[in-house]
Amino acid sequence: MRKLALSDEILLTIEKPARYIGGEVNMKMKDPSKVDIRFCMCFPDVYEIGMSHLGIQILYDMFNRREDTYCERVYSPWVDMDKLMRERNIPLFALESQDPVKDFDFLGITLQYEMCYTNILQVLDLSGIPLYAKDRTEEHPLVIGGGPCSYNPEPIADFFDFFYIGEGETAYNEILDTYKEYRKAGKTRKEYLERVAQIEGMYVPAFYDVKYKEDGTIASFTPNNEHAPKTVKKQVEMNLSDTYYPTAPLVPFIKATQDRVVLEIQRGCIRGCRFCQAGMIYRPTRERSLEYLKKCAYEMLSSTGHEEISLSSLSSSDYSCLQELVYFLIEEFGSKGVNISLPSLRIDAFALDVMSKVQDIRKSSLTFAPEAGTQRLRDVINKGLSEEAILGGAMKAFQSGWNKVKLYFMLGLPTETEEDIEGIAILSDRIAREYYTIPKDQRNGKVAITSSTSFFVPKPFTPFQWSRMITGEEYVQRQRFLKGKMREQLNAKSIKYNWHEAEVTELEGVFARGDRRISKAIVDAYQSGCLYDSWSEYFNYEKWMNAFVANGIEMSFYNGRERDTEEIFPWDFIDVGVTKAFLLREYKRAKSEKVTPNCKQACANCGAKEFGGGVCFEEDLCMADLEEVTDESKN
Amino acid sequence: MKARIKFQKYGSMKFVGHLDIMRYFQKVFRRANIDNEYSKGFSPHQIMSFAAPLGVGLTSDGEYLDVQLLSADSPEVMIERINAALTEGFHIIGYRPLLETEPNTKTVTAMALVASADYLVSLKDGYEIGADINSKESFAEKFIKFMQSEEIVIGKKTKKSEMDVDIKPMITLVAFEEEDYEAKRRNTLEEHLKTEETSLSNKKPDSMAEVYENGIKIYLQLDTGSSSNLKPELVVEAFCESLGVAYNQYAWQSHRIEVYTRNSETGKLAGLDQVDR
C-alpha cells in the first residue's frame, strides 16, 4: 500500500485531507528508483483549482509516456496545511510518491494568472528550495516556469532557472533527453542551462542583463552568455490532431472546479479583440479535427467515468465543425446520462436548439460578453458584437422560454467616456425592454439580467500594451457612476449589477507589465504573510503597498503611464509571431475607432503566418482587401 | 433490477468522505460500463443508496451499496468488472441480486434495514491511554470493569439538544481476541446463518483492518441505524472518561467489520449480504 507523507493526526485535523493523499483515478504509479528523471509539476493554487487545469494533464500524460521519466504533481497547500507544515518542519511533497519535492530533478510551475506569484514562493519555500535561482546549487531541482504569465516573466524571472515560452508539446522531450545526457556526463547545472538556452523557446533569465534609463524605463536588454539568443521564439504545436492528448486524465476524489471531461477543440482565436492577450499569443488559430475529437471524447469518458463533457476554446462558435461535434456528443452520449456543458456560444438558431436539448431552460441563462457599453467603444476594442446581434439573440431566446441573461463588461478601457459607461446601463435596460415586448401570457415570468464589470488590465502582446491603466480611485468612481445609472433605468429592478474589486486588479496591472525590479517586493510581500492573493479573503492590500514602498516601487510607473512607442518593454525579447509593428498598427486603429476584420475574413498581417499553418493558410485574402472588408463588416 | 454490493474501504481512502465516495462510485460504474438505471430529468443521476455512511477516518470490511440496474452479468463477473475500475483502497467482496419490490409495496432502502454493526477499535502505535494501561491484558481488565457498571451515561449531542443517554444497552458484544469475537458473533446471528457462515469461512476475504504492534484492541457490536445508533468512538471516549484520562480521538483507529439487519421476530441478526431485500 502507498505510504503517506502526513500522519493520520494531521490529515484528520486539516480541511479536505484528500488534497494531499494522491491515489486518484488514472494516477501514474512508477518506481522512482527505476527512472532517470523525476519531474514535479506544480499548479500554485489550491488542489481543486490546480486539478482542473488541462495543460498540466497534457504534460503529465506526455511525460509519463516516457519510461525514463516519472512526472508527479504538487499544489499549494491550503492555509491550514501551510501553517502546520511550517510549525512542524514538514517538507512539501509530491502527491504520487509522497516524496519531498526537493529531491526531484525538475519542478515545473504553471503560471496561469499573476495573482499566484506569492504561491510560487510558498511552494519553493515549503519545499526547501532557495527562492532565488542564483542561490540554488547542484542538488536543487531546476525550476521551470510556463503558461500565459511567462509571456512577461520578468517580475518573477529571478525565481526561475528557466522559462518555457509557448506550448509544451514541442520541446519538452529535448529538454528531458538533454538533461539525462548531461547528467550522465557529469555536467554542471550551468552547463545544462547553457544547453537549454539554445533550445528554441527557452529563456534562462540569468543569461540576460537589463539596464535602465534614468526615467526608469529599460535602456537595454542583452544576453550576457554566448549561448543565449537575443530573442526567444514562442513554441507552437502546429498539428493539433496528431499530438499528445490525455486520454486518461486524473479524476480527483473531491469535487474540483472542472469535474468533467474537457475537450480542447482548437487553440487560438480569430477575433483579434484588442484587450485580449490570449487572442494574440496563441495565434495562429489551429483546429483539432472532428475525428480526433470524437475519438478523444470516447476514450476520456470511458477512462474517467465523468458524467459531463465540455468543450474548451477561446471562441467555440468559430470552430468550423462545431455543429457536427455538438450533435454527435448529444446523440452519442446524451442517452447515457452524460451532460454536455456548452461553452458560451454566439446566440443563433443552432445555439438555441442545442441549449434547449441539453439545459433546463428555467435554470440556465444566456451569456453575452459585449465588454463595452457603446458601439463606439466596442469598435475601439475590436469586439465584433453589435447591439442588434445582442438584442436579436436575446429576443430569440426569450421567445423560446429563457428569461435569464448574463452580461460581461469591462470598465476602464482606453478612451472610455461617461457615455460609454452609461451605455452599459442602457444596454442592460434595452434587453429587459425587449423581453417585455412579448405579450404577458407568452412570457415566462420576470426577466433577470445580471451585468458584471471587471477592471481592464493592459496586457503585454496586445495593442493596448502601451495604454495607461486607470487608477483604483478612478475605477471606483466609474463603478459608482454606473451603479447610479443602473438605478435610473426603467427596468432597474430587473438588473443586478456586480463588480470586481479594484485593489487586486491594480496589482495585477503591475505584475502584468512589470520588470525585474518587482521581484524583491514579491519576496517581501510573501515574507510579510501575503499568500493566496487571488482569494479575496486572503488578499492584503496594505501589506503589498508596504512591500512596494520598501522597495521603491511606484505603481503609477507601471500602470499610470501612456507608454512611448519607442519604449523597450520587459517582454520585447520574446517573439510570439505577432509583431510589435502589428500591435502598434492596431493600437492606432483602436484610437481612430477602426475595426479590423477577423482572421477568417482577411489577413491583417499580424506576423503569425510565419508558423506556417492554421487559419493563416485557410483563406487567401490579402492586406489590400483589408479596408474594403472592414467597411463591409460594418454594414 | 436491484443488487447489493459489498466493499472494503481501507488505507488512505479513509480520508475520503461519504459524499465524495458516492461521486466516486458513480464514476466507477461508468468506467466499468455497468448498466445503471438513471433518474429522469435534465441532470440524471444513477439510482443508488448506501446502507450506513462511514465517517472520515474509519476503514471498513463491510460497506454496502444498493444499485438499480437495467441489466447485469453473473455476480462473479460483476465483481470482477467493478473491481477492475477501482483504485487502491477499495475492493468489492460481494454482489447479491435483490428481490424486486412487490407492486404497491413500499421500497425498503438499505439504510432502513440497518440495525447493528461490528467494529474493531485499535490503539495506534505511538499513543498511550494512561491509567497504567500498558498491555492488552491490562486494557481488557479495565474495559471489563468498565462494562460491569450499572449504566454508562454519556452526554449525547443531537441536532436540537444535548441529553444524557445510557449507552450500555447499545453495546451488544465485547471481545478482545478474534476467536472469542467470532464465537460471540455467531451467537447473535440467525440460526441458518451460523452453520452457513462456518462453511463459507474459508472464502472470507482478508480483513483490511490496520494491525498495530501494541496489540491493544477491542471488538464491539453496537446499535446502528435510525432508531438507535452508537459510534465506536463514543464508547472509547466514555471508557477513557471512566478512567479519568483524556480521550485522544487521533489515538484510536476504528474499523467496521460488518453491518447487520435484525429479524424483528427472532431478534437475531443477519449481515446485509445475507438477505434478499
Side-chain angles (χ1 to χ4, degrees):
Chain A
M1 245 188 293
R2 292 173 61 240
K3 259 186 82 85
L4 299 180
L6 301 170
S7 68
D8 280 13
E9 190 161 339
I10 289 179
L11 286 164
L12 291 171
T13 316
I14 49 153
E15 257 179 66
K16 303 195 184 174
R19 285 169 176 160
Y20 312 103
I21 60 175
E24 303 95 332
V25 174
N26 297 328
M27 182 184 93
K28 299 288 181 300
M29 281 297 279
K30 289 188 184 183
D31 180 348
S33 66
K34 294 202 172 107
V35 297
D36 297 306
I37 303 165
R38 298 192 69 182
F39 197 111
C40 191
M41 195 59 88
C42 169
F43 192 108
D45 206 321
V46 75
Y47 176 87
E48 297 92 302
I49 292 186
M51 275 297 277
S52 305
H53 185 242
L54 177 66
I56 284 191
Q57 298 255 19
I58 293 177
L59 295 179
Y60 182 79
D61 174 73
M62 173 178 151
F63 290 177
N64 279 320
R65 287 190 201 187
R66 293 175 61 111
E67 267 186 36
D68 62 357
T69 305
Y70 189 11
C71 179
E72 307 186 35
R73 295 158 297 142
V74 70
Y75 303 96
S76 273
W78 188 240
V79 287
D80 57 347
M81 191 64 213
D82 176 277
K83 188 166 170 275
L84 270 174
M85 293 180 90
R86 285 170 207 274
E87 280 169 13
R88 306 194 187 186
N89 278 317
I90 302 169
L92 187 62
F93 54 90
L95 295 182
E96 278 76 3
S97 64
Q98 302 267 311
D99 288 341
V101 173
K102 201 183 167 179
D103 300 340
F104 280 67
D105 298 296
F106 291 97
L107 171 61
I109 304 180
T110 181
L111 309 165
Q112 294 295 315
Y113 30 82
E114 290 83 1
M115 298 318 292
C116 74
Y117 289 173
T118 51
N119 284 61
I120 297 170
L121 299 183
Q122 175 213 28
V123 167
L124 294 173
D125 201 8
L126 291 176
S127 301
I129 300 170
L131 302 185
Y132 287 102
K134 65 177 167 54
D135 299 329
R136 291 175 203 144
T137 66
E138 302 294 330
E139 64 197 67
H140 294 112
L142 286 145
V143 182
I144 314 176
C149 292
S150 60
Y151 287 87
N152 177 21
E154 289 304 89
I156 47 172
D158 293 344
F159 312 138
F160 287 85
D161 293 292
F162 67 97
F163 289 89
Y164 184 122
I165 314 288
E167 297 170 5
E169 287 97 340
T170 60
Y172 260 122
N173 281 327
E174 188 179 347
I175 291 171
L176 299 180
D177 289 343
T178 326
Y179 177 77
K180 206 163 103 176
E181 184 191 315
Y182 268 54
R183 214 185 39 179
K184 278 203 181 117
K187 300 265 172 88
T188 65
R189 189 180 185 95
K190 192 177 175 206
E191 285 169 315
Y192 175 65
L193 287 171
E194 285 176 340
R195 174 70 180 80
V196 164
Q198 295 168 58
I199 301 175
E200 197 181 77
M202 302 309 128
Y203 168 52
V204 182
F207 295 164
Y208 297 81
D209 287 327
V210 193
K211 290 202 178 76
Y212 299 92
K213 293 182 190 163
E214 227 159 85
D215 66 4
T217 58
I218 293 174
S220 68
F221 186 99
T222 41
N224 62 26
N225 185 303
E226 55 174 343
H227 302 285
K230 264 205 180 95
T231 56
V232 175
K233 191 169 181 186
K234 169 186 87 168
Q235 291 303 290
V236 188
E237 171 58 62
M238 289 312 293
N239 188 352
L240 285 177
S241 299
D242 183 21
T243 182
Y244 300 96
Y245 204 72
T247 49
L250 289 143
V251 185
F253 290 107
I254 48 176
K255 210 170 160 73
T257 321
Q258 286 264 29
D259 180 31
R260 54 184 73 90
V261 165
V262 179
L263 212 49
E264 187 196 36
I265 57 177
Q266 60 187 351
R267 277 189 200 160
C269 178
I270 59 167
R271 298 273 145 188
C273 298
R274 293 179 179 128
F275 56 84
C276 180
Q277 188 189 40
M280 297 293 161
I281 60 176
Y282 298 133
R283 285 186 176 207
T285 305
R286 291 144 292 151
E287 299 192 342
R288 292 191 198 267
S289 76
L290 184 62
E291 287 317 305
Y292 182 79
L293 292 173
K294 284 181 179 176
K295 189 173 139 273
C296 288
Y298 264 120
E299 289 179 15
M300 292 170 87
L301 283 167
S302 67
S303 68
T304 58
H306 276 310
E307 39 281 290
E308 191 167 324
I309 183 164
S310 80
L311 307 182
S312 160
S313 81
L314 292 166
S315 170
S316 300
S317 291
D318 295 325
Y319 176 63
S320 59
C321 307
L322 186 73
Q323 298 211 9
E324 276 168 277
L325 178 63
V326 171
Y327 285 129
F328 165 81
L329 294 176
I330 293 174
E331 275 156 36
E332 198 64 27
F333 305 112
S335 61
K336 293 171 190 154
V338 175
N339 292 320
I340 320 290
S341 132
L342 289 178
S344 39
L345 297 175
R346 207 179 308 131
I347 304 298
D348 54 17
F350 158 69
L352 290 173
D353 177 52
V354 170
M355 283 162 69
S356 67
K357 282 188 176 136
V358 303
Q359 297 171 347
D360 185 344
I361 295 179
R362 284 162 303 165
K363 287 180 193 148
S364 61
S365 56
L366 299 166
T367 305
F368 295 99
E371 310 292 359
T374 58
Q375 195 57 49
R376 185 201 73 79
L377 193 52
R378 284 195 291 273
D379 288 348
V380 169
I381 62 175
N382 205 39
K383 179 84 196 186
L385 183 62
S386 68
E387 183 159 320
E388 295 75 60
I390 297 168
L391 292 179
M395 192 57 186
K396 273 185 211 139
F398 292 153
Q399 283 161 342
S400 317
W402 272 272
N403 63 352
K404 291 188 188 71
V405 182
K406 279 187 198 155
L407 299 168
Y408 292 98
F409 298 95
M410 276 187 276
L411 280 180
L413 286 163
T415 77
E416 183 178 68
T417 63
E418 287 201 342
E419 198 190 329
D420 298 315
I421 302 170
E422 188 175 359
I424 295 174
I426 294 173
L427 179 59
S428 307
D429 186 60
R430 271 194 196 142
I431 295 171
R433 289 184 189 213
E434 198 72 17
Y435 180 81
Y436 289 111
T437 60
I438 302 173
K440 201 171 179 179
D441 57 325
Q442 288 166 37
R443 62 188 190 225
N444 187 8
K446 283 182 185 160
V447 70
I449 291 167
T450 309
S451 295
S452 308
T453 59
S454 62
F455 190 11
F456 167 65
V457 180
K459 296 266 167 132
F461 295 110
T462 66
F464 293 148
Q465 62 180 348
W466 288 274
S467 293
R468 171 182 176 270
M469 176 171 157
I470 65 168
T471 64
E473 291 89 64
E474 286 171 275
Y475 177 69
V476 173
Q477 271 170 16
R478 292 182 192 195
Q479 173 250 308
R480 285 206 185 115
F481 173 78
L482 176 55
K483 203 176 164 192
K485 290 293 169 194
M486 287 284 194
R487 279 206 208 104
E488 288 171 18
Q489 302 304 313
L490 178 68
N491 295 295
K493 281 188 182 157
S494 305
I495 306 169
K496 189 171 184 294
Y497 173 41
N498 296 326
W499 58 90
H500 288 218
E501 292 303 319
E503 289 176 342
V504 69
T505 321
E506 279 188 277
L507 270 177
E508 207 184 310
V510 173
F511 297 151
R513 292 189 296 168
D515 52 41
R516 284 194 186 183
R517 291 169 295 186
I518 289 171
S519 63
K520 280 185 286 173
I522 299 174
V523 172
D524 278 3
Y526 167 71
Q527 281 167 349
S528 71
C530 290
L531 192 64
Y532 282 107
D533 297 303
S534 60
W535 296 70
S536 55
E537 65 266 50
Y538 294 107
F539 178 66
N540 189 321
Y541 188 65
E542 213 185 303
K543 281 183 180 163
W544 273 106
M545 288 308 104
N546 292 340
F548 280 175
V549 170
N551 290 284
I553 289 164
E554 300 239 14
M555 281 214 287
S556 61
F557 172 78
Y558 296 100
N559 288 346
R561 261 177 334 116
E562 178 73 21
R563 300 190 183 198
D564 193 87
T565 51
E566 298 299 309
E567 185 174 334
I568 299 174
F569 292 143
W571 54 90
D572 276 353
F573 72 94
I574 298 174
D575 171 9
V576 296
V578 173
T579 61
K580 202 172 182 180
F582 165 76
L583 294 173
L584 190 58
R585 215 153 65 221
E586 278 293 288
Y587 190 34
K588 288 177 178 159
R589 289 175 74 89
K591 284 182 179 165
S592 53
E593 300 166 15
K594 268 191 188 162
V595 169
T596 296
N598 73 47
C599 300
K600 283 191 179 171
Q601 293 172 314
C603 175
N605 282 322
C606 71
K609 198 168 187 169
E610 65 158 345
F611 292 108
V615 70
C616 307
F617 291 83
E618 281 167 19
E619 296 268 344
D620 217 15
L621 285 175
C622 62
M623 190 62 188
D625 305 322
L626 187 74
E627 297 303 320
E628 214 175 307
V629 178
T630 312
D631 292 341
E632 268 169 30
S633 66
K634 268 192 164 178
N635 293 337
Chain B
M1 66 187 77
K2 272 176 89 175
R4 180 160 297 151
I5 292 164
K6 183 178 189 178
F7 67 94
Q8 297 174 307
K9 184 188 182 202
Y10 55 92
S12 57
M13 288 307 108
K14 69 182 176 188
F15 300 110
V16 178
H18 177 66
L19 289 176
D20 294 325
I21 298 296
M22 286 174 34
R23 286 177 354 97
Y24 174 80
F25 270 98
Q26 301 225 0
K27 295 185 201 276
V28 166
F29 294 138
R30 292 176 155 284
R31 288 196 297 274
N33 224 349
I34 305 295
D35 196 6
N36 295 73
E37 194 175 329
Y38 282 80
S39 66
K40 306 280 181 280
F42 273 98
S43 50
H45 57 270
Q46 293 167 12
I47 302 169
M48 59 161 73
S49 73
F50 283 77
L54 192 69
V56 172
L58 275 75
T59 54
S60 177
D61 283 328
E63 291 304 287
Y64 289 100
L65 163 63
D66 285 3
V67 289
Q68 195 87 38
L69 304 173
L70 295 171
S71 67
D73 290 324
S74 70
E76 293 73 25
V77 174
M78 291 299 276
I79 289 177
E80 201 181 307
R81 279 172 60 192
I82 302 168
N83 271 331
L86 292 175
T87 44
E88 186 184 89
F90 295 102
H91 189 61
I92 307 290
I93 51 173
Y95 175 97
R96 185 178 184 119
L98 300 177
L99 293 178
E100 287 305 305
T101 319
E102 302 275 318
N104 302 326
T105 54
K106 226 178 118 198
T107 325
V108 185
T109 62
M111 198 177 263
L113 290 175
V114 175
S116 183
D118 288 354
Y119 293 93
L120 168 62
V121 184
S122 315
L123 181 71
K124 291 181 190 173
D125 289 328
Y127 290 93
E128 278 172 10
I129 305 170
D132 299 326
I133 297 176
N134 45 29
S135 64
K136 54 183 190 175
E137 289 77 21
S138 55
F139 171 73
E141 189 188 314
K142 291 263 164 69
F143 202 93
I144 290 166
K145 207 180 256 173
F146 164 69
M147 286 304 296
Q148 280 163 353
S149 41
E150 256 331 81
E151 49 175 30
I152 302 170
V153 176
I154 62 159
K156 212 177 168 190
K157 274 183 201 151
T158 65
K159 274 178 195 140
K160 285 172 195 153
S161 61
E162 192 176 331
M163 57 177 202
D164 287 344
V165 184
D166 178 13
I167 59 169
K168 198 180 166 191
M170 298 156 91
I171 306 169
T172 50
L173 181 160
V174 174
F176 301 94
E177 294 298 338
E178 195 176 352
E179 270 176 36
D180 185 35
Y181 158 69
E182 289 294 349
K184 286 178 174 166
R185 174 181 120 90
R186 255 192 300 278
N187 282 330
T188 67
L189 298 179
E190 294 211 61
E191 283 307 317
H192 70 281
L193 295 175
K194 287 179 185 169
T195 45
E196 195 178 310
E197 275 255 313
T198 335
S199 66
L200 284 174
S201 63
N202 54 351
K203 272 192 181 175
K204 216 173 115 184
D206 291 338
S207 170
M208 295 311 290
E210 297 268 352
V211 178
Y212 299 95
E213 274 179 27
N214 69 68
I216 293 177
K217 60 179 182 181
I218 183 164
Y219 293 89
L220 296 166
Q221 186 169 83
L222 307 174
D223 279 4
T224 305
S226 48
S227 54
S228 174
N229 192 58
L230 181 60
K231 289 180 182 172
E233 301 90 282
L234 283 177
V235 178
V236 180
E237 190 176 352
F239 170 62
C240 289
E241 206 171 285
S242 78
L243 296 174
V245 297
Y247 163 69
N248 177 356
Q249 60 170 314
Y250 304 115
W252 301 87
Q253 177 63 51
S254 298
H255 171 82
R256 184 137 76 191
I257 302 168
E258 182 60 285
V259 177
Y260 305 99
T261 184
R262 193 185 302 278
N263 183 325
S264 52
E265 282 160 28
T266 61
K268 292 288 185 180
L269 303 177
L272 284 194
D273 53 349
Q274 305 291 346
V275 292
D276 289 321
R277 57 177 192 121

